[in-house]
Amino acid sequence: LLIEDILKELAKKYSIEYTLICEKNPDIKIDGVIFHFLKYKQNSVHEDLIRCGDIFLAPRDNNDTYNLAHSFTKIGLPMAVGIPVVATKLPSYAGAPGIFVDGFTQGWLEAIETLKLDSAKYKSVSDAGIHYCEKNFSDGAIKTAYEKLFSQII
C-alpha cells in the first residue's frame, strides 16, 4: 500500500476507519488500521461515497505510466458530492481543487490531518470541489464543450 506508513502514523493519533470501494476485496491488513470493503457499483457509488466517506484518498505511483493518464473521474465523483480529496499530483488532476501531494511524503499526513482538524479548511475544499464539478462537468458545461468542439471540426 503506497501510503501504509502514513496510515500507521494516523492510527497512533486518531480512530479512523477506511472504506475501500473497489471491484475486489484487496484484503489489506495493517496493524492498528481498520479497513472495510465495499464492492464498487457504478449505479450507487455516489451514494456509497456520501454514506462512507469524509475524506477521499487517491494515492498513485507516478512511476507507472498507467497512473499518469488516470482520469479525473477517480477524484471527480467524491468532489461532486462534497468529499474533499487528497491525491497524488497527476497531470489529469491539474486545476482541480483538492489537496495534491508529490510522492509519498509527510505531505499526506499533513493534508489528512488538516482536513480532519480544521473544519473551515474542510468546508472550503468541499465547497470548491462541488463548484468545480458543477462548472466543468454539468450537463450544460459538457453540452457547451461539445458544441465548441463540433463547430471547430465542421
Side-chain angles (χ1 to χ4, degrees):
L1 190 61
L2 298 172
I3 57 171
E4 181 174 343
D5 291 341
I6 301 301
L7 299 182
K8 285 179 182 177
E9 198 166 334
L10 287 165
K12 292 175 189 173
K13 298 179 180 182
Y14 311 104
S15 174
I16 301 176
E17 296 183 16
Y18 300 89
T19 301
L20 305 168
I21 302 174
C22 43
E23 289 292 326
K24 296 178 184 174
N25 186 348
D27 199 29
I28 298 170
K29 293 186 181 7
I30 301 172
D31 287 339
V33 182
I34 301 167
F35 291 100
H36 304 283
F37 166 70
L38 191 59
K39 183 163 178 56
Y40 173 84
K41 295 177 189 161
Q42 185 174 0
N43 293 336
S44 65
V45 68
H46 59 288
E47 294 166 351
D48 295 335
L49 286 166
I50 292 168
R51 189 176 68 253
C52 300
D54 294 320
I55 300 170
F56 187 85
L57 306 178
R60 291 282 173 196
D61 180 358
N62 281 340
N63 294 318
D64 181 339
T65 54
Y66 168 80
N67 289 329
L68 291 176
H70 212 270
S71 93
F72 174 78
T73 304
K74 176 79 169 185
I75 65 168
L77 271 171
M79 279 186 186
V81 297
I83 299 172
V85 169
V86 179
T88 302
K89 192 180 288 186
L90 295 177
S92 58
Y93 299 166
I99 299 176
F100 299 98
V101 183
D102 283 318
F104 303 104
T105 64
Q106 288 297 102
W108 280 89
L109 180 67
E110 293 164 11
I112 295 165
E113 284 188 313
T114 295
L115 291 172
K116 181 166 180 48
L117 302 174
D118 184 342
S119 60
K121 179 69 171 178
Y122 183 97
K123 181 165 178 20
S124 170
V125 175
S126 174
D127 290 348
I130 292 169
H131 177 71
Y132 182 84
C133 289
E134 287 174 347
K135 180 181 175 199
N136 294 286
F137 301 103
S138 66
D139 291 344
I142 299 297
K143 177 180 178 264
T144 300
Y146 272 111
E147 287 172 344
K148 181 178 178 184
L149 175 67
F150 289 137
S151 70
Q152 293 170 350
I153 295 171
I154 299 177

